[in-house]
Amino acid sequence: MSRLASWLPILDWGRRYNRDTLAADGVAALIVTIMLIPQSLAYASLAGLPPEVGLYASIVPLVLYAVFGTSRVLAVGPVAVVSLMTAAAIGEHAAVGSAGYAAVAIVLAFLSGAMLLVMGVLRLGFLANFLSHPVISGFITASALLIALGQLKQLLGLRVEGHNALELLQGIVRQLPQTHGLTALVGLATVGFLFWARRGLKPLLRRMGAGPRLADLLAKAGPVLGIALTAWLTWANDWQAQGLKIVGTVPQGLPPLTWPVFDAALWQALLLPALLISVVGFVESVSVGQTLAAKRRQRIEPDRELVALGASNLGAAFSGGFPVTGGFARSVVNFDAGAQTPAAGVFTAVGILLAALLLTPALYFVPQATLAATIVVAVLSLVDFGVLRRTWVYAKADFAAVLATLLATLAIGVEAGLVAGVALSLLLFLFRTSRPHITEVGWVPGTEHFRNPQRHAVALSPRLLGLRVDESLYFANARTLEDRVNAEVAQRPQLQHLVLQCSAVNDIDASALDSLEAIDHRLQDAGIVLHLSEVKGPVMDRLKTTDWLARMRGQVFLTHYQAVQQLAPELLAAADAAPVRSSTPA
Amino acid sequence: MSRLASWLPILDWGRRYNRDTLAADGVAALIVTIMLIPQSLAYASLAGLPPEVGLYASIVPLVLYAVFGTSRVLAVGPVAVVSLMTAAAIGEHAAVGSAGYAAVAIVLAFLSGAMLLVMGVLRLGFLANFLSHPVISGFITASALLIALGQLKQLLGLRVEGHNALELLQGIVRQLPQTHGLTALVGLATVGFLFWARRGLKPLLRRMGAGPRLADLLAKAGPVLGIALTAWLTWANDWQAQGLKIVGTVPQGLPPLTWPVFDAALWQALLLPALLISVVGFVESVSVGQTLAAKRRQRIEPDRELVALGASNLGAAFSGGFPVTGGFARSVVNFDAGAQTPAAGVFTAVGILLAALLLTPALYFVPQATLAATIVVAVLSLVDFGVLRRTWVYAKADFAAVLATLLATLAIGVEAGLVAGVALSLLLFLFRTSRPHITEVGWVPGTEHFRNPQRHAVALSPRLLGLRVDESLYFANARTLEDRVNAEVAQRPQLQHLVLQCSAVNDIDASALDSLEAIDHRLQDAGIVLHLSEVKGPVMDRLKTTDWLARMRGQVFLTHYQAVQQLAPELLAAADAAPVRSSTPA
């Protein structure tokens, strides 16, 4: 693959395009288009934007992703969590429905796209790794709950304002008596229909004689059916006159050419939200892309994906859209429907373009409550409280990160939640590595192995102490090692040799080297010789650049066994006769 | 040792106190007192405070350290770097010489003492470990240069204002023509005398017939000799009338009882400086204490040291002082002079108290330039540019941390320097662990070892891939492993088994577990089985709490050799006949 083709994967797959891939991509695109129309309307409304913006965000970005993306099947467009983050970010700078609101959305898409592009070119994709899985889980669950609560007011026809879960919940409970009956009926019935459609529609269609392919296609179209049905009922019964809110006029036509307004204060305020939107969108997109690519033994290139998502978001910014990324459900549908190349994305974009040109009058009577219902059903599948139990059992640090992210997101907001989660998980990681597992090791008789006397029956020498450090030695734990060595030495008056077994030491930084020198120096003062064993190649390479190896009185042994052979041979010789000290029952 | 005695080490050593320890402590205290008088005056002036404050800070804090400290020989009191940090912190809130200035110093000592105490009680001493050695080196060198530059203006009788090294240097160069001749003469002559006294005074005294002990004592008293001599010359020649600045009236008497003024805004502004002063003081003190304790196979308890230093600083706050800590040079002198117990500190405090009561009139004619000279000579020994070369050779990340700390401290100030250094070293550590060394491993024929084919002649199987990860698996590198596995698998069409050798994996967090599950899942889709080998006990304990071990198709092997024996026996059998793939020359 040439250098150019590595930046433009379209040159690679485009050259081998033929009628078979065209047919496969075409069918997949049709299914995804049907799925994407209600999603794009709903997520635009979730982001606080007019419905046509959702359609615009599903045209140009898809084409650009097809040109630059390395995933064959990723379906880009508006997604729930990023739309929520968009609403939260814009909400501080413009009122929903104002002209300024859409302008801020465009700035946000532009900044997010530019950041993704720069991160991709500078190969900074690894930065996304600092968003740990527990933080992502906690964040997605909390976001889904926030979204569901926010949509609940639409489902019930209430006017509740709130910036966090508690305010929303209080507002909804307080206003419950003002529930608009017809709105609640339409909304809750749609929720019920959509939940049923997920499980019951496909078997029903099969029983009614539909082929498996058609049944699957129609079942995927559940939200479209719900929208069509409620729109038709609203039109037929003139429900909008009875207070049911409808989508109303959606402008017909091509996406507009837009340009991000420059306002230094606004741009600065949007930097952090844009960064978080970029990272969350990238992480969501890459994990879907990787999972699907692996099923066909393909690969995606995370740094190229950054470029592709960056281009998509810039595309959204210049065509009247808002931040987009690769969506999970939609991509899985694209994959299952047999999409072979990113051309499926281009065909989907054409489908949405036709909808924007021709279909918008048909959207007039769609009830807002129906859109809210499609969102609620989509996001509730993202809620996963099980992660709390799983992390509690597996690792308390991860549990703390989930809980902090979850609570901060619900109580304060999406940005605070992410920042709190990332900060806490980094602090806990640093804390953990700053207190490494250090164990004394004794000889397991009959082997060349050395193990912890707390776990195994081993032979120990009063003259020689073996210590194994289960962590790279770096500044945050160097002093811990010093303390531990001091403590061990202080209680061993007969000690002559200390051997540090370094099999799990992947790095020794300058602070740790200083600590080793200090330990060596202090041990010398106390008449004890410090040795190392099982030092790894890369660590040894680095130690060889210093003069400490020449200055230290002790030796570096290839294996811990060789160290004991040379320094305390009586231990190995007398082991059969001597009593074995151990804290495990004989 | 009882619980109470562990909090009050004085109960331990006090019980065994006898005439021998009294004599040893008394001699040591006399030497330290002689050394401490000029130091306490000079460091008070460095902190921008009147000279008597230096004496006050060398009385009550020493007694409190003797009660709570775990080091037998640590000499607490004003030190150069902490005095500089004190001046920097107060300078933003009060003018030097104003009554408010001393009041802010008391607040700073109080906050610093309270923080140290709380950190000690909560056992947060490990927090100091995040100040890496390169950061400390860079900071101390930069601080010493800042101090020397700041004192240079006193040595030359100039009035230069400047908040960073560049401003100071520019100011000094610009005002060089206004140098006050007599002041420069006294100052530079004292600098010359002190440098000479360090090396030449002791041999000279020995040649003049003094015993080694007396010669040593008199040589240590070099700064006192310098002060006495210049004070006598000033008095005899009436130099103050010719513009030589002198210390002037130093109030005679006991330290005053003081109380930190409460001012919420001031306290909040001083929180970060107080924290940094606490941590720097603690690190300096503990490293001296540890080094000296180890020489006698004693130990110090870092968390108890926090309590002791906290009490000392609270003592300073309530007795008209300023932040103190254990000083390096002074403690070494105390140790060399034979101090046996912290009672030596109490006797030193008595000595300084007598000086405060009786000696202050004798300080009237001491030239400011002489004090500046003692500071310059003391701090220039702290300058160590060699650390730049050493870290450059040893580890570029450490070099970057030194350089950033050094430059930020010189260019912006002490607080910015420390914060920049700590932040950069943490980021570089996270960056390093987020890109772990992962290597393919092949069989070294004739052994049970597996090594990197880039470094060793090994046998490889097209059906089995061994990968060794040289880092704990956690959220920041989990995806790197996924990417690497994807890349390795994509280029091996015949692959059936992937074995991850986990000998250097000290932890697997929830994100990494998710990644392993994802890798396993994707490999299953591709018809490849994932196995693990050489998983450590603690990591295995944790994996056993999950159901993944039951769900994974592969096995966990005790050794990598056993894995290959079972999964690709033909590799081991055919090795003698098969060509060995290796990139090293045969």
Side-chain angles (χ1 to χ4, degrees):
Chain A
M1 202 162 30
S2 76
R3 198 170 148 66
L4 187 64
S6 96
W7 283 98
L8 290 171
I10 193 173
L11 297 181
D12 183 44
W13 59 261
R15 207 171 303 160
R16 282 171 283 163
Y17 210 74
N18 58 35
R19 194 183 295 181
D20 288 346
T21 39
L22 175 68
D25 288 346
V27 171
L30 178 64
I31 297 176
V32 173
T33 304
I34 291 171
M35 187 174 178
L36 187 50
I37 292 174
Q39 278 192 355
S40 61
L41 300 177
Y43 294 148
S45 123
L46 172 55
L49 291 159
E52 68 272 17
V53 173
L55 294 173
Y56 300 158
S58 308
I59 301 173
V60 175
L62 278 67
V63 176
L64 287 168
Y65 182 82
V67 173
F68 294 102
T70 58
S71 165
R72 300 293 176 93
V73 294
L74 195 74
V76 168
V79 304
V81 172
V82 167
S83 299
L84 172 71
M85 295 177 78
T86 300
I90 308 178
E92 291 174 22
H93 304 286
V96 175
S98 70
Y101 195 92
V104 180
I106 282 165
V107 171
L108 203 58
F110 176 79
L111 288 177
S112 170
M115 283 176 184
L116 287 162
L117 205 61
V118 168
M119 282 166 73
V121 171
L122 298 182
R123 302 184 161 274
L124 296 178
F126 70 92
L127 285 179
N129 300 343
F130 288 98
L131 217 53
S132 76
H133 294 200
V135 169
I136 297 171
S137 292
F139 179 69
I140 288 188
T141 291
S143 299
L145 288 176
L146 272 179
I147 294 171
L149 275 176
Q151 297 304 308
L152 190 56
K153 62 179 188 190
Q154 307 253 31
L155 279 186
L156 302 177
L158 304 176
R159 291 174 170 276
V160 175
E161 289 300 315
H163 292 90
N164 60 48
L166 208 63
E167 286 175 19
L168 281 171
L169 203 59
Q170 281 180 334
I172 289 169
V173 169
R174 203 178 301 124
Q175 293 188 23
L176 219 46
Q178 282 99 60
T179 298
H180 185 258
L182 180 61
T183 304
L185 188 71
V186 170
L188 296 177
T190 311
V191 168
F193 169 74
L194 290 174
F195 271 122
W196 171 78
R198 284 198 164 188
R199 300 204 171 180
L201 188 56
K202 192 171 159 188
L204 180 73
L205 292 166
R206 291 303 305 276
R207 281 198 299 278
M208 287 166 67
R213 192 95 191 216
L214 182 67
D216 200 43
L217 177 62
L218 289 175
K220 294 271 158 52
V224 171
L225 290 183
I227 283 175
L229 201 66
T230 50
W232 177 74
L233 286 170
T234 305
W235 168 76
N237 301 303
D238 201 21
W239 278 348
Q240 79 276 22
Q242 294 166 52
L244 183 70
K245 279 200 210 129
I246 56 171
V247 166
T249 309
V250 179
Q252 210 166 352
L254 290 169
L257 187 65
T258 51
W259 190 258
V261 293
F262 183 75
D263 170 345
L266 176 68
W267 283 40
Q268 206 184 336
L270 290 178
L271 280 182
L272 179 67
L275 179 68
L276 295 177
I277 287 174
S278 303
V279 172
V280 167
F282 172 63
V283 168
E284 180 167 357
S285 189
V286 160
S287 49
V288 182
Q290 262 174 340
T291 303
L292 298 179
K295 285 186 194 263
R296 294 188 188 154
R297 282 209 183 197
Q298 295 165 347
R299 291 192 66 200
I300 65 166
E301 298 273 353
D303 287 322
R304 297 280 179 274
E305 285 299 290
L306 282 167
V307 171
L309 290 175
S312 296
N313 277 290
L314 289 179
F318 292 115
S319 63
F322 69 111
V324 294
T325 194
F328 179 74
R330 214 180 300 146
S331 301
V332 171
V333 167
N334 197 30
F335 180 88
D336 287 344
Q340 294 294 321
T341 76
V346 177
F347 302 151
T348 305
V350 171
I352 301 288
L353 181 65
L354 291 175
L357 287 175
L358 310 171
L359 258 183
T360 54
L363 300 173
Y364 184 86
F365 287 103
V366 174
Q368 300 268 15
T370 306
L371 290 183
T374 66
I375 296 178
V376 167
V377 173
V379 299
L380 283 184
S381 66
L382 301 175
V383 172
D384 170 23
F385 281 113
V387 70
L388 282 171
R389 187 185 40 73
R390 289 196 302 278
T391 51
W392 173 259
V393 172
Y394 186 71
K396 300 291 177 288
D398 287 311
F399 171 78
V402 179
L403 194 66
T405 312
L406 193 69
L407 294 181
T409 306
L410 287 176
I412 310 173
V414 284
E415 287 153 22
L418 275 177
V419 170
V422 171
L424 186 67
S425 44
L426 289 178
L427 286 177
L428 289 173
F429 171 72
L430 292 171
F431 177 73
R432 215 154 60 232
T433 59
S434 77
R435 307 194 137 184
H437 180 239
I438 303 176
T439 179
E440 180 181 0
V441 288
W443 180 52
V444 181
T447 72
E448 297 191 1
H449 286 293
F450 289 77
R451 289 290 166 85
N452 183 350
Q454 306 291 322
R455 290 186 184 231
H456 300 84
V458 297
L460 298 165
S461 161
R463 297 201 305 116
L464 182 143
L465 170 64
L467 284 182
R468 193 188 74 214
V469 186
D470 280 349
E471 194 64 65
S472 294
L473 291 173
Y474 80 110
F475 57 92
N477 61 30
R479 204 177 295 276
T480 310
L481 179 66
E482 290 186 52
D483 289 346
R484 179 65 179 269
V485 168
N486 290 346
E488 295 283 353
V489 168
Q491 66 192 42
R492 285 182 170 74
Q494 292 175 269
L495 196 64
Q496 293 172 344
H497 298 283
L498 175 70
V499 185
L500 290 182
Q501 189 185 10
C502 301
S503 48
V505 175
N506 301 312
D507 190 22
I508 295 181
D509 78 353
S511 302
L513 179 69
D514 287 348
S515 280
L516 285 177
E517 292 202 46
I519 289 169
D520 188 27
H521 197 71
R522 287 176 204 154
L523 290 179
Q524 281 189 33
D525 288 343
I528 300 168
V529 185
L530 173 70
H531 309 268
L532 306 179
S533 74
E534 305 188 9
V535 180
K536 297 190 175 201
V539 177
M540 200 65 199
D541 287 350
R542 181 168 276 187
L543 288 180
K544 279 180 184 159
T545 67
T546 72
D547 58 351
W548 181 56
L549 286 184
R551 279 187 290 113
M552 72 183 281
R553 280 203 304 162
Q555 292 172 253
V556 180
F557 294 95
L558 193 65
T559 71
H560 201 75
Y561 187 74
Q562 290 175 1
V564 176
Q565 261 185 327
Q566 185 172 331
L567 303 172
E570 76 283 0
L571 173 70
L572 306 178
D576 292 329
V580 167
R581 193 186 102 185
S582 166
S583 53
T584 55
Chain B
M1 200 165 22
S2 76
R3 197 170 149 68
L4 187 64
S6 97
W7 283 98
L8 289 171
I10 194 174
L11 297 180
D12 183 45
W13 59 261
R15 208 173 300 160
R16 283 171 284 163
Y17 209 76
N18 58 36
R19 195 183 296 181
D20 288 345
T21 41
L22 176 68
D25 288 344
V27 171
L30 178 65
I31 298 175
V32 174
T33 305
I34 291 171
M35 187 174 179
L36 186 51
I37 292 174
Q39 277 192 354
S40 60
L41 300 177
Y43 294 148
S45 121
L46 172 55
L49 291 159
E52 67 272 17
V53 172
L55 295 173
Y56 299 158
S58 308
I59 300 172
V60 176
L62 277 68
V63 175
L64 287 168
Y65 182 82
V67 173
F68 294 103
T70 59
S71 165
R72 299 295 177 92
V73 294
L74 195 74
V76 168
V79 304
V81 172
V82 167
S83 299
L84 173 72
M85 295 177 79
T86 300
I90 309 179
E92 291 174 22
H93 303 286
V96 175
S98 69
Y101 195 92
V104 179
I106 282 166
V107 171
L108 203 57
F110 177 80
L111 287 177
S112 169
M115 283 177 185
L116 288 163
L117 205 60
V118 168
M119 282 165 73
V121 171
L122 298 181
R123 302 184 161 276
L124 296 178
F126 70 91
L127 285 179
N129 299 345
F130 288 99
L131 218 53
S132 76
H133 294 201
V135 170
I136 297 171
S137 292
F139 179 69
I140 288 187
T141 291
S143 298
L145 288 176
L146 272 180
I147 293 172
L149 275 176
Q151 297 303 308
L152 190 57
K153 63 180 185 188
Q154 307 253 30
L155 279 185
L156 302 177
L158 303 177
R159 290 174 172 274
V160 176
E161 291 299 317
H163 292 91
N164 60 47
L166 208 62
E167 286 176 18
L168 281 170
L169 203 59
Q170 280 179 334
I172 289 169
V173 170
R174 202 177 303 125
Q175 294 188 21
L176 221 45
Q178 282 99 60
T179 298
H180 186 258
L182 181 59
T183 304
L185 188 71
V186 170
L188 296 176
T190 312
V191 168
F193 169 75
L194 290 174
F195 271 122
W196 170 79
R198 285 199 164 188
R199 300 203 169 183
L201 189 56
K202 192 170 160 188
L204 180 73
L205 291 166
R206 291 300 306 277
R207 282 198 299 277
M208 288 166 66
R213 190 96 190 213
L214 182 67
D216 199 43
L217 176 62
L218 289 175
K220 293 272 158 51
V224 172
L225 291 182
I227 283 174
L229 201 65
T230 51
W232 176 75
L233 286 171
T234 306
W235 169 76
N237 302 305
D238 200 21
W239 278 346
Q240 79 275 25
Q242 294 165 51
L244 184 69
K245 280 202 211 128
I246 56 171
V247 167
T249 310
V250 178
Q252 211 165 352
L254 291 169
L257 186 65
T258 50
W259 190 257
V261 291
F262 183 75
D263 170 344
L266 176 68
W267 283 41
Q268 206 184 336
L270 291 178
L271 280 182
L272 180 67
L275 179 68
L276 294 176
I277 287 174
S278 302
V279 172
V280 168
F282 172 63
V283 168
E284 180 168 358
S285 189
V286 160
S287 50
V288 183
Q290 261 175 340
T291 303
L292 298 178
K295 284 184 194 263
R296 294 186 188 155
R297 284 210 183 196
Q298 295 165 348
R299 292 191 66 200
I300 63 166
E301 298 273 354
D303 287 322
R304 295 281 179 275
E305 286 299 290
L306 282 168
V307 172
L309 291 174
S312 296
N313 277 292
L314 289 179
F318 292 115
S319 63
F322 68 110
V324 294
T325 193
F328 179 74
R330 214 180 298 146
S331 301
V332 172
V333 167
N334 198 29
F335 179 90
D336 287 344
Q340 293 296 320
T341 75
V346 178
F347 302 151
T348 305
V350 172
I352 302 289
L353 182 66
L354 291 175
L357 288 173
L358 310 171
L359 259 183
T360 55
L363 300 173
Y364 183 88
F365 287 102
V366 173
Q368 300 269 16
T370 306
L371 290 183
T374 65
I375 296 177
V376 168
V377 173
V379 298
L380 283 183
S381 66
L382 301 175
V383 172
D384 170 23
F385 282 112
V387 71
L388 281 172
R389 187 185 40 72
R390 289 195 303 277
T391 52
W392 174 259
V393 173
Y394 186 69
K396 301 292 178 286
D398 286 312
F399 172 79
V402 179
L403 195 65
T405 313
L406 194 69
L407 294 181
T409 306
L410 288 175
I412 310 174
V414 284
E415 287 153 23
L418 275 178
V419 170
V422 170
L424 185 68
S425 43
L426 288 179
L427 286 178
L428 289 174
F429 170 71
L430 291 172
F431 177 73
R432 217 154 58 230
T433 60
S434 78
R435 308 194 135 183
H437 180 238
I438 302 177
T439 178
E440 179 181 2
V441 288
W443 180 51
V444 182
T447 71
E448 297 191 2
H449 285 293
F450 288 79
R451 289 291 167 85
N452 182 350
Q454 307 289 324
R455 291 186 182 231
H456 299 85
V458 297
L460 298 165
S461 161
R463 298 202 304 117
L464 182 143
L465 170 64
L467 284 183
R468 192 187 75 212
V469 186
D470 280 350
E471 193 63 64
S472 294
L473 291 174
Y474 80 111
F475 57 91
N477 61 30
R479 203 177 295 276
T480 309
L481 178 65
E482 289 186 52
D483 290 345
R484 180 63 179 268
V485 168
N486 290 347
E488 295 283 353
V489 167
Q491 65 193 41
R492 285 182 170 76
Q494 292 175 270
L495 196 64
Q496 293 172 343
H497 298 283
L498 175 70
V499 185
L500 291 181
Q501 189 184 12
C502 301
S503 47
V505 175
N506 300 312
D507 190 21
I508 295 180
D509 78 354
S511 302
L513 178 69
D514 286 349
S515 280
L516 285 177
E517 291 202 45
I519 289 170
D520 187 26
H521 197 72
R522 285 176 204 155
L523 290 179
Q524 281 188 32
D525 287 343
I528 300 167
V529 185
L530 173 71
H531 310 267
L532 305 178
S533 74
E534 306 189 7
V535 180
K536 298 189 173 199
V539 176
M540 201 63 200
D541 287 351
R542 180 167 276 187
L543 288 180
K544 280 180 183 157
T545 67
T546 72
D547 58 353
W548 180 57
L549 287 184
R551 279 188 290 113
M552 73 184 277
R553 279 203 305 161
Q555 292 172 253
V556 180
F557 293 95
L558 194 66
T559 70
H560 201 74
Y561 187 72
Q562 290 174 3
V564 176
Q565 262 185 325
Q566 185 173 330
L567 302 173
E570 77 283 359
L571 174 69
L572 307 178
D576 293 330
V580 168
R581 193 186 104 184
S582 166
S583 55
T584 55

